[in-house]
Structure formats: structure tokens, C-alpha cells
Amino acid sequence: MDRILVMDFGGQYNQLIARRVRSLHVYAEVRPYSRITPQEIRDAGYRGIIFTGGPNSVYDPASPHCSPEVLRLGIPVLGICYGHQLMAYTEGGTISPAESGSEYGRTELFCSGHPLFRDVPETSICFMSHTDCVSVLPEGFAVLGHTDHCACAAMGNDERRLYGVQFHPEVTHTEYGMTVLRNFVFGICSCRADWVMDDFIERSVARYREELRGRKVLLALSGGVDSSVAAVLLHRAIGRNLSCVFVDHGLLRKNEGDYVERTLGHELGVNVIRINAADRFLSRLAGVTEPERKRKIIGEEFIRVFEDEAGKLGHIDDLAQGTIYPDVIESGKGDSAVIKSHHNVGGLPSVMAFKGIVEPLRDLFKDEVREVGRRLGIPDELVMRQPFPGPGLGVRIIGEITKEKLDLLREADAIFREELDRSSVRNECAQYFAVLTDTRSVGVMGDARTYGYTVALRAVRSDDFMTAEWARLPYEVLERASNRITNEVRGISRVVYDITSKPPATVEWE
Ligand code: XMP
């Protein structure tokens, strides 16, 4: 199997680069630049290397530099942004601050007819985010593209198969970014497109069978797609040594607990232990209104319940979780700022009774996780289920969480999802749910005045949940949902529709 190495220099799109390459059916893996030697690269037989971006300037003494030998292995290299500058600098070129200051955002790119730009028009839009520029090319390199403010937006040395681009081909804002990556991977590295998710499954199963030999693992099953896929994957690797504790924290959607228990436990044979802990969660959440506090409490309580359960199960070595890549970066474990602490990463209590954490899906994006699930034989109904956050309805109730509010939200949410599921636009929406706001308003029912909660409906389109667009639902769907919710759920007197995209909003309200 042909593989591409993504050498990580600290940029925010590193996993995205790997994911884009994998979408071309060529396996790509991200490794920190400091943790792989030129010898290891050679021995591993990579067909190509991509240097990622990063926030530093190459002249900064603290900036990350790899061994210059990496560029002399005879393996093609594509440097992106910082990686492009690092390549130029290492090869004897000069980097200077751009004359016009930083260049950020969508920018016109003028490129040559070089094979790296095959099928890319002479003028196209690329995404730039940099302050420094390559001002003097290293020997043997030629300029392959420029922008109005950057004379060397792309460079290359064909003899040594070394290339650099100042822009980010991996982000969708770069119109022909995938074409550039495709040209590098197939045209320059001559990779074969023979990687499928089955390889990921096989590698993971073999890896965990080996690493977890003789160990007992407890998996935090939340009922969402991610932890369900992680459960089935690990079950395949270690069978009954995996115990999946499914905490019903009382923050699940209508009928969800029974569905998860039946599908994973009874139908797929995974060892599922369901714990009904709603009271425990509700009493810890009583009176708490601040979103981050709620998340932390739910996260901590989750782990405590697991620890209690682990105690009952006897000796347990590791805790497994369905963390996926967007959770990792949004919790500030990558290089971007903390946006929300996802309970399965950021909210972990510091004192844990487990020896290790097992996160088999940590490098994957949502659509890749679904693909893994499907190939593991998980029914489409579960795999295609929209994602559901670990803290559950807890992040969809604004203000204090009470049993009464949870019951109202569960009913309203079930109605909205049922109406959308019946409509023709269902497949266009990546996620759709109801939120119970803390606002109450006056209504009228029959001749009587009512004073009930306002429910907000949210439906988004998204590929990877890093960005999302609010879905243009047909008025009829919204109308039916609104009528039914206000008629059938006593205590809700108003329904609104959320028309905010991400960014600036997030998908969840808290
Ligand atoms: P946001 O609200 O951050 O959501 O735009 C992006 C995606 O992540 C889900 N989400 C979570 N998933 N634990 C999870 O496992 C969490 O704490 C969490 N918070 C948000 C959200 O539903 C959406 O799909």
C-alpha cells in the first residue's frame, strides 16, 4: 500500500491534509516532525512527504526544523505554507516579511502549466494565511506560481522532486486545492489509489489486538455514532475484554437508551452494560446555568460513573472513547484556541483511575467514521444517525437543566426530527434538533393565556462540522413542526428557527 507522510510543523489544518489525501484512496498519516528520523522515513517506504503549515517564522530560534536530510532522501516533498518556507530556507533560499504585511484569505493565484498545476486554470482562487514570503529562491528551484503580493506562491525543483506552495491546497476555499494534491500524490509521487477504509479497520484491529493483549478495557458508550463505531471496532479486536458502559445520564433523546442497548448489545454482540444514572446527573446539575460548567460537570460525572462501574467489574486497565479529530482540535489539544471543551477530551478529570486512554478514531473525520461503521457491519440506521454530543440534551437546554425541561425538549425534538425525516430534504441536513431556550413568552390557546417556553429548531448542512451552513428548510416542514410542537407539547408556546451558520455560531447552542 502506497503511503504519504504528513510531517506536522504545528499548523491547524494538518489532519485535514491527511484526510484529503485519504479521500484520494491513498493512505496518509500525520507524524510530528520531531518524532520521525530520516532513516525511519526511508525504512517506512513512504512515496511522498508533505510538510504542513505552522504558526512560526523560520528565523525564530524556537521554530520547528526537521533534518535537512529529509529533503535529500530522494522522496518527493510538498511544502505547504510554513513547510514551503522551511523547504526554501533549508535549501539556502531567503525568507522575508511580505512587503504588504500579512496576506490572508481568498487570493487570486496565477500559476504556470507545471505538472503540479495540471488542470488548474492560469488564474484561480487560493487561500492564503501568511506573513513571511520566499524572497530569494534556493538554487535549482523555479517559481511556479505567484499572487499580487507574493512573488513566489509556488516553487519547484523537478530534478529533486521538491515543491512548495505558499497557499493552503487542503482547505475548500482553494478552488483547485484537491487538484494540486492529486497532482502531487499521483503525478509526482506515482501513488496507486488502493487504500480503502477496510485497511484502516484491519490495521486498527491488528494494532489493538496486540497493544491491548491481556488488558481489560472499559468503553464510554454515549449512544452517538462515534462511540458506537469505536465500540464495534474494539470489540472486533479484543472481544469480551471490552466492556461498554452505556451511561444513561437522563440527557438522551426520546427512546434512545433502548435503541442503543438493543442494536449494539443484542444485535451486534458487544458487551453493553447500561447504567441508569439520570438522578445522579440531575442533582449535580441543579442550579447550574453556565455552559462550560455544565459541560465540565457532565464530563466529570461521566468519568466518575465509569470509575464506579469499573470498580464493580473488577480490574480494568484502560478507558476507551469515541473521540474523533474535530473534538481534538476544538478542545485545544491541537493548535487552535479552545472553543468548547468537548467532554470526551477537554473535560477529563485530572485524577483518573485508568492506566491509559484508547481512542481508535482520534485521527478520523466524521464521514470517515461513518464509513468505518458501515464496513464494520453496523446498520445504516445507526451509522447514518446524526451526531449527538456526549453531554446530550444538556447542551441544548439554556439555563438550568431540570427534569421538566428535559421532558419538554425530548418531545419537541422528536417531533421536529420526525417531520424532517419524512421530508425530501432529510439527506441534505447533517444534523437537526431542537433547543429549549430559557425564554418564555405569552401565547394564547383557546381563550386562555399561556406562558410557555420558546423552542429553537436547528438544522445544518455540513461535511465535517468544522463549518456548517443553516439549512434552507421548506416552509411546510417548519410549519408542520411548529404546529405539532405547540399543539402536542404543553409548556411550549413559541417556535423559532435558527438561521446562523458556523462560524460565527457553533452547531450546538452551548
Ligand atoms: P459545535 O457545537 O462545536 O458542534 O459546532 C460540532 C459537532 O460536534 C458535536 N458536539 C459534541 N460532540 N461531545 C461530542 O461528542 C461534545 O461535547 C460535543 N459538543 C458538540 C455537535 O453536536 C456537532 O455535531
Side-chain angles (χ1 to χ4, degrees), residues 226 295 327 330 340-344 366 387-391 395-396 431 433 465 502 505-510:
D226 307 340
R295 278 175 174 272
D327 303 338
E330 295 217 344
K340 286 178 190 176
S341 58
H342 286 229
H343 88 267
N344 37 2
K366 199 90 202 179
F388 186 62
V395 294
R396 296 179 181 171
Q431 203 170 2
F433 53 87
F465 296 93
K502 172 185 180 176
T506 50
V507 175
E508 303 291 348
W509 275 37
E510 287 197 337

Coordinates of all heavy atoms in Angstrom, one line a residue, residues 226 295 327 330 340-344 366 387-391 395-396 431 433 465 502 505-510, ligand 1:
D226 N -20.0 8.0 17.0 CA -18.5 7.8 17.2 C -18.2 6.7 18.3 O -17.4 5.8 18.0 CB -17.9 9.1 17.7 CG -18.2 10.3 16.8 OD1 -18.6 10.0 15.6 OD2 -18.1 11.5 17.3
R295 N -20.9 21.5 31.0 CA -20.1 20.5 30.2 C -19.1 19.8 31.2 O -18.9 18.6 31.1 CB -19.3 21.2 29.1 CG -20.1 21.4 27.9 CD -19.3 22.2 26.9 NE -20.1 22.3 25.7 CZ -20.1 21.4 24.7 NH1 -19.2 20.4 24.8 NH2 -20.8 21.5 23.6
D327 N -13.1 16.8 17.6 CA -13.2 17.0 19.0 C -11.8 17.4 19.5 O -11.7 18.2 20.5 CB -13.5 15.7 19.8 CG -14.8 15.1 19.3 OD1 -15.6 15.8 18.8 OD2 -15.0 13.9 19.5
E330 N -11.0 21.1 18.6 CA -11.9 22.1 19.2 C -11.7 22.2 20.7 O -12.1 23.1 21.3 CB -13.3 21.9 18.8 CG -13.5 22.1 17.3 CD -14.8 22.7 16.9 OE1 -15.7 22.7 17.7 OE2 -14.9 23.2 15.8
K340 N -14.8 25.0 22.7 CA -15.7 24.4 23.7 C -15.0 23.2 24.2 O -14.2 22.6 23.5 CB -17.0 23.8 23.0 CG -18.0 24.8 22.6 CD -19.1 24.1 22.0 CE -20.1 25.0 21.3 NZ -21.1 24.3 20.6
S341 N -15.2 22.9 25.5 CA -14.5 21.7 25.9 C -15.4 20.5 25.7 O -16.4 20.3 26.4 CB -14.2 21.8 27.4 OG -15.3 22.0 28.1
H342 N -15.1 19.7 24.7 CA -15.9 18.5 24.4 C -15.6 17.6 25.6 O -14.5 17.3 25.9 CB -15.5 17.9 23.1 CG -16.0 18.7 21.9 ND1 -16.7 18.2 20.9 CD2 -16.0 20.1 21.7 CE1 -17.1 19.1 20.1 NE2 -16.7 20.3 20.6
H343 N -16.7 17.0 26.1 CA -16.5 16.2 27.3 C -15.5 15.1 27.2 O -14.8 14.8 28.1 CB -17.8 15.7 27.8 CG -18.2 14.4 27.3 ND1 -18.9 14.2 26.2 CD2 -17.8 13.1 27.7 CE1 -19.0 12.9 25.9 NE2 -18.3 12.3 26.8
N344 N -15.4 14.5 26.0 CA -14.6 13.4 25.9 C -13.1 13.7 25.7 O -12.3 12.8 25.5 CB -15.1 12.4 24.8 CG -15.6 13.1 23.6 OD1 -15.6 14.3 23.6 ND2 -16.1 12.4 22.7
K366 N -15.7 12.9 10.7 CA -17.0 12.3 10.8 C -17.4 11.3 9.6 O -17.8 10.2 9.9 CB -18.1 13.4 10.9 CG -19.3 12.9 11.5 CD -19.3 13.1 13.0 CE -20.2 12.2 13.7 NZ -20.1 12.4 15.2
P387 N -24.9 13.0 14.4 CA -24.1 13.0 15.6 C -24.9 13.6 16.8 O -25.7 14.4 16.6 CB -22.9 14.0 15.2 CG -23.3 14.7 14.0 CD -24.4 13.9 13.3
F388 N -24.5 13.1 17.9 CA -25.2 13.6 19.1 C -24.1 13.8 20.1 O -23.3 13.0 20.4 CB -26.2 12.5 19.6 CG -27.0 12.9 20.8 CD1 -27.9 14.0 20.6 CD2 -26.9 12.3 22.0 CE1 -28.7 14.4 21.7 CE2 -27.7 12.7 23.1 CZ -28.6 13.7 22.9
P389 N -24.1 15.0 20.7 CA -22.9 15.3 21.6 C -22.9 14.5 22.9 O -24.0 14.2 23.4 CB -23.2 16.8 21.9 CG -24.6 17.0 21.7 CD -25.0 16.1 20.6
G390 N -21.8 14.2 23.4 CA -21.6 13.5 24.6 C -22.5 14.1 25.7 O -23.2 13.3 26.4
P391 N -22.5 15.4 26.0 CA -23.3 16.0 27.0 C -24.8 16.0 26.7 O -25.6 16.5 27.5 CB -22.7 17.4 27.2 CG -21.5 17.4 26.4 CD -21.6 16.4 25.4
V395 N -26.5 20.3 26.6 CA -26.0 21.5 25.9 C -27.1 22.0 25.0 O -26.9 22.9 24.2 CB -24.7 21.2 25.1 CG1 -23.6 20.9 26.0 CG2 -24.9 20.1 24.0
R396 N -28.3 21.5 25.1 CA -29.4 22.0 24.3 C -30.5 22.6 25.1 O -31.6 22.9 24.7 CB -30.0 20.9 23.4 CG -29.0 20.5 22.4 CD -29.5 19.3 21.5 NE -28.4 18.9 20.6 CZ -28.4 17.9 19.8 NH1 -29.5 17.1 19.8 NH2 -27.4 17.6 19.0
Q431 N -27.3 17.5 10.6 CA -27.7 17.5 11.9 C -29.0 18.4 12.1 O -29.0 19.5 11.6 CB -26.6 18.0 12.8 CG -26.7 17.5 14.3 CD -25.4 17.8 15.1 OE1 -24.5 18.4 14.5 NE2 -25.4 17.3 16.3
F433 N -32.1 19.3 15.2 CA -32.5 19.0 16.6 C -33.2 20.3 17.1 O -33.2 21.3 16.5 CB -31.4 18.7 17.5 CG -30.2 19.7 17.4 CD1 -30.2 20.8 18.3 CD2 -29.2 19.5 16.5 CE1 -29.2 21.7 18.2 CE2 -28.1 20.4 16.5 CZ -28.1 21.5 17.3
F465 N -18.4 19.3 10.1 CA -18.8 20.1 11.3 C -17.8 21.1 11.8 O -18.0 21.7 12.8 CB -19.2 19.1 12.5 CG -20.3 18.3 12.1 CD1 -20.2 17.0 11.6 CD2 -21.6 18.7 12.3 CE1 -21.3 16.3 11.2 CE2 -22.7 18.0 12.0 CZ -22.6 16.8 11.4
K502 N -22.1 28.3 11.0 CA -20.8 28.1 11.8 C -19.6 28.3 10.9 O -19.5 27.5 9.9 CB -20.8 26.7 12.4 CG -19.5 26.4 13.1 CD -19.4 25.0 13.6 CE -18.0 24.8 14.3 NZ -17.9 23.5 14.9
A505 N -21.5 31.1 14.6 CA -22.1 30.4 15.7 C -21.5 29.0 15.7 O -20.8 28.6 14.7 CB -23.6 30.2 15.5
T506 N -21.7 28.2 16.7 CA -21.4 26.8 16.7 C -22.7 26.0 16.4 O -23.8 26.6 16.4 CB -20.8 26.3 18.0 OG1 -21.6 26.7 19.1 CG2 -19.4 26.9 18.2
V507 N -22.6 24.7 16.1 CA -23.8 24.0 15.8 C -24.7 23.9 17.1 O -25.9 24.2 17.0 CB -23.4 22.5 15.3 CG1 -24.7 21.7 15.1 CG2 -22.6 22.6 14.0
E508 N -24.1 23.5 18.2 CA -24.8 23.4 19.4 C -24.9 24.8 20.0 O -24.1 25.7 19.7 CB -24.1 22.5 20.4 CG -23.9 21.1 19.9 CD -25.2 20.3 19.8 OE1 -26.2 20.7 20.3 OE2 -25.1 19.2 19.2
W509 N -25.9 25.0 20.8 CA -26.1 26.3 21.4 C -25.2 26.6 22.6 O -25.0 27.7 23.0 CB -27.6 26.6 21.8 CG -28.4 27.0 20.6 CD1 -28.3 26.6 19.3 CD2 -29.5 28.0 20.6 NE1 -29.2 27.3 18.5 CE2 -29.9 28.1 19.3 CE3 -30.1 28.7 21.7 CZ2 -31.0 29.0 19.0 CZ3 -31.1 29.6 21.3 CH2 -31.5 29.7 20.0
E510 N -24.7 25.5 23.2 CA -23.9 25.7 24.4 C -22.6 24.9 24.2 O -22.6 23.9 23.5 CB -24.5 25.3 25.7 CG -25.6 26.2 26.1 CD -26.0 26.0 27.6 OE1 -25.8 24.9 28.1 OE2 -26.5 26.9 28.2
Ligands
XMP1 P1 -20.2 22.6 17.7 O1 -21.4 22.9 18.6 O2 -18.9 22.6 18.4 O3 -20.5 21.1 17.2 O4 -20.2 23.4 16.4 C1 -19.8 20.4 16.2 C2 -20.2 19.0 16.3 O5 -19.8 18.4 17.5 C3 -20.9 17.9 18.3 N1 -20.6 18.2 19.7 C4 -20.1 17.3 20.5 N2 -19.8 16.0 20.4 N3 -19.1 15.9 22.7 C5 -19.3 15.3 21.5 O6 -19.0 14.1 21.4 C6 -19.4 17.2 22.9 O7 -19.2 17.8 24.0 C7 -19.9 18.0 21.8 N4 -20.3 19.2 21.6 C8 -20.7 19.4 20.3 C9 -22.1 18.7 17.8 O8 -23.3 18.0 18.0 C10 -21.8 18.8 16.3 O9 -22.1 17.6 15.6

